[in-house]
Amino acid sequence: MNLTELNKIATAMVAPGKGILAADESSGTIKKRFDAIGVESTESNRRDYREMLFRSKEAMSQYISGVILYDETIWQDAADGTPLVKLIEQSGAIPGIKVDEGTQALPMCPGELVTVGLDKLAERLKKY
């Protein structure tokens, strides 16, 4: 990617009046949200929830400049077969990916967590 393209993306991401939608909940985090409202955390229910967000055309086009996605989400298709990434792009927002893979306990430091997955980011980016 050249500097002009990168500058264009950066400028779009900070457009006045718009923000970034963090739709990067891990399967565990979204399960907690769904449990609270009595919804089973299946792949199809998670997809339907995310599709509902991304098909909110007015909100997406007017207020969202970019969307951070979880690994599962970046590969999912909407119920009609449209890739969720395509729905985001059609709204004018820029899809992105969560760069880490969550946290885990830090050895010998009770109660402390450390971010994991950054060591595999270069390989993951090739897939995306």
Side-chain angles (χ1 to χ4, degrees), residues 8-64:
K8 183 178 173 185
I9 291 169
T11 300
M13 294 294 288
V14 296
K18 291 191 173 190
I20 298 172
L21 173 61
D24 62 341
E25 299 99 339
S26 67
S27 299
T29 299
I30 204 166
K31 181 181 182 329
K32 291 175 191 173
R33 294 177 194 266
F34 281 7
D35 286 349
I37 59 171
V39 174
E40 186 180 4
S41 183
T42 63
E43 183 179 355
S44 62
N45 282 346
R46 293 189 300 272
R47 179 212 58 219
D48 290 347
Y49 167 71
R50 293 166 176 146
E51 180 179 353
M52 175 193 66
L53 293 174
F54 306 150
R55 285 198 188 271
S56 301
K57 290 182 183 183
E58 184 177 337
M60 286 291 296
S61 64
Q62 290 185 19
Y63 303 108
I64 303 298

Side-chain angles (χ1 to χ4, degrees), residues 62-80:
Q62 290 185 19
Y63 303 108
I64 303 298
S65 59
V67 180
I68 305 169
L69 300 171
Y70 181 59
D71 183 75
E72 175 183 75
T73 314
I74 204 165
W75 308 112
Q76 285 180 316
D77 292 336
D80 68 1

Side-chain angles (χ1 to χ4, degrees), residues 54-123:
F54 306 150
R55 285 198 188 271
S56 301
K57 290 182 183 183
E58 184 177 337
M60 286 291 296
S61 64
Q62 290 185 19
Y63 303 108
I64 303 298
S65 59
V67 180
I68 305 169
L69 300 171
Y70 181 59
D71 183 75
E72 175 183 75
T73 314
I74 204 165
W75 308 112
Q76 285 180 316
D77 292 336
D80 68 1
T82 306
L84 294 182
V85 168
K86 187 62 124 178
L87 295 179
I88 294 166
E89 291 171 337
Q90 288 171 347
S91 74
I94 301 166
I97 187 67
K98 179 178 181 172
V99 296
D100 67 87
E101 295 179 321
T103 58
Q104 67 182 27
L106 182 61
M108 297 182 286
C109 297
E112 295 295 327
L113 300 174
V114 63
T115 300
V116 295
L118 295 177
D119 56 329
K120 298 181 236 168
L121 181 59
E123 284 302 312

